[in-house]
Amino acid sequence: MTTAPAATDERLGSPGLLDRLVLRPEIGSLLGALLVFAFFSVVTERFLSTGGVATWLDDASTLGIMAVAVALLMVGGEFDLSAGVLTASTALVTAILATRLGWNVWLALLASLAFALAVGVLNGWLVMRTGLPSFIVTLGTFLALQGLNLGVTRLVTGTVQVSGMRSAEGYASAGFLFASTFTIGGTAFYVSILWWVLVTVVASVVLLRTRFGNWTFAVGGSAPAARAVGVPVFRTKVALFATTAFAAWLVGSINILRFTSVQANQGIGLEFQYIIAAVIGGCLLTGGFGSAVGAAVGALIFGMARQGIVYANWNSDWFQLFLGVMLLAAVLVNNALRRRAERVRR
């Protein structure tokens, strides 16, 4: 007598390779990066040269540092429109203290870090206490910082620029940490690339392997539901805003120590590039879904496209068209991937 094999509950079966890939928010950006890389590798020979690689990695590095931090904030369901101008604010604080007041560069960097964290905490506190959308709160911070940058810089220097960092005490050691180069194959690569990799790795571990990462996904998905199960929503969101501010300080420090001068209007408009890179990397505008690695890859796409267009001798206006197409495509792909991922999880 033979017995029929017991029916297997399809819910107990392991998902296939395609379904497992769909669960990863960064899969769309990885495919996009491969396409952009392949395209410009064919269009121009300079793109794959050692110097070309160093250039587009450097282009992507500071953007990538900020994009990763902005991605964490977007996963938590918020935006920060002051992130771009804050990179200039922190650089100005460092430069003014070091060149005009004679502070050691390291002390100036600590002071600018405290300033950045204060702005980030204030943004988070205002968003949580007032209940206003973070878009509105950080837009106000953006305008305030823009005016502060211009006003203080003109008051102190009489111009809109602060320079002279190279002669400040402590510049050599600080410059080595934030603005030095390392050589591969006879070509200099900026240390900002290593900072980008480090920030991406740390952010990915925090997001995927820690309790704070779980809290971030929870508050981005539904803050009331997260609060109901004991997630400290207030502290989590304030910490995410502080993280974005820390990244702005890091980028500002890299810029001021590399270029040794800073313009008061620097960084304006970059906040949208950070958000676009995060969206290309898999973050949803509604929160609760995204990836630090994806945001880093989104920044890499920026760097490859921007320098690839230069190497191909095309008009730089085409880059804006590229950004618009990539943003629309990313939003459509991310929404489709999220819906499929939700079906897989069920």
Side-chain angles (χ1 to χ4, degrees):
M1 178 180 178
T2 58
T3 58
T8 302
D9 189 337
E10 63 180 6
R11 292 173 296 177
L12 300 178
S14 60
L17 176 61
L18 179 60
D19 289 335
R20 290 199 300 272
L21 289 176
V22 166
L23 292 174
R24 302 302 312 155
E26 64 271 10
I27 187 63
S29 63
L30 288 171
L31 293 175
L34 289 174
L35 288 174
V36 172
F37 178 84
F39 177 77
F40 284 111
S41 298
V42 173
V43 169
T44 171
E45 294 181 358
R46 289 182 60 194
F47 185 80
L48 284 182
S49 66
T50 309
V53 173
T55 301
W56 48 259
L57 283 179
D58 177 48
D59 188 307
S61 60
T62 50
L63 173 62
I65 291 170
M66 284 304 306
V68 168
V70 168
L72 294 184
L73 184 62
M74 289 180 65
V75 171
E78 306 294 347
F79 295 92
D80 189 351
L81 296 184
S82 67
V85 72
L86 186 57
T87 62
S89 299
T90 56
L92 285 167
V93 171
T94 301
I96 290 174
L97 292 177
T99 64
R100 302 294 167 169
L101 300 183
W103 286 30
N104 184 285
V105 172
W106 287 105
L107 290 177
L109 287 170
L110 288 176
S112 63
L113 174 59
F115 171 78
L117 293 177
V119 172
V121 170
L122 177 62
N123 279 337
W125 185 86
L126 287 173
V127 168
M128 296 306 297
R129 286 301 185 195
T130 64
L132 292 171
S134 55
F135 180 92
I136 297 299
V137 171
T138 57
L139 178 60
T141 308
F142 163 82
L143 295 172
L145 288 175
Q146 185 179 355
L148 188 65
N149 290 353
L150 288 167
V152 172
T153 305
R154 285 188 185 276
L155 182 65
V156 173
T157 69
T159 67
V160 293
Q161 177 178 310
V162 182
S163 57
M165 279 295 296
R166 199 176 298 276
S167 60
E169 181 184 358
Y171 170 80
S173 56
F176 175 78
L177 181 63
F178 292 104
S180 61
T181 60
F182 58 96
T183 303
I184 298 178
T187 301
F189 290 75
Y190 277 100
V191 74
S192 58
I193 299 170
L194 299 182
W195 279 109
W196 175 31
V197 173
L198 177 62
V199 167
T200 303
V201 171
V202 171
S204 297
V205 171
V206 169
L207 195 60
L208 300 177
R209 294 286 185 267
T210 68
R211 180 181 297 178
F212 182 79
N214 292 334
W215 290 349
T216 301
F217 281 109
V219 299
S222 174
R227 188 178 287 108
V229 296
V231 174
V233 176
F234 184 94
R235 280 189 294 145
T236 300
K237 294 213 174 191
V238 170
L240 289 171
F241 277 103
T243 299
T244 306
F246 173 82
W249 169 82
L250 177 57
V251 170
S253 300
I254 290 171
N255 288 338
I256 187 60
L257 291 169
R258 180 192 299 189
F259 302 113
T260 68
S261 65
V262 57
Q263 296 280 344
N265 60 355
Q266 196 169 298
I268 296 174
L270 291 180
E271 57 280 343
F272 294 110
Q273 293 191 16
Y274 305 150
I275 293 173
I276 292 171
V279 171
I280 291 173
C283 290
L284 294 178
L285 299 176
T286 52
F289 190 81
S291 162
V293 171
V297 175
L300 179 63
I301 292 174
F302 265 65
M304 290 192 297
R306 186 150 44 200
Q307 295 304 318
I309 287 172
V310 172
Y311 293 153
N313 294 318
W314 296 349
N315 191 304
S316 61
D317 292 341
W318 288 107
F319 181 67
Q320 301 302 320
L321 172 63
F322 171 83
L323 286 187
V325 172
M326 286 298 296
L327 176 61
L328 291 174
V331 171
L332 294 174
V333 170
N334 291 345
N335 283 333
L337 290 176
R338 183 189 63 168
R339 287 194 295 268
R340 185 179 178 97
E342 289 173 347
R343 290 196 299 270
V344 172
R345 289 193 180 102
R346 293 195 192 104

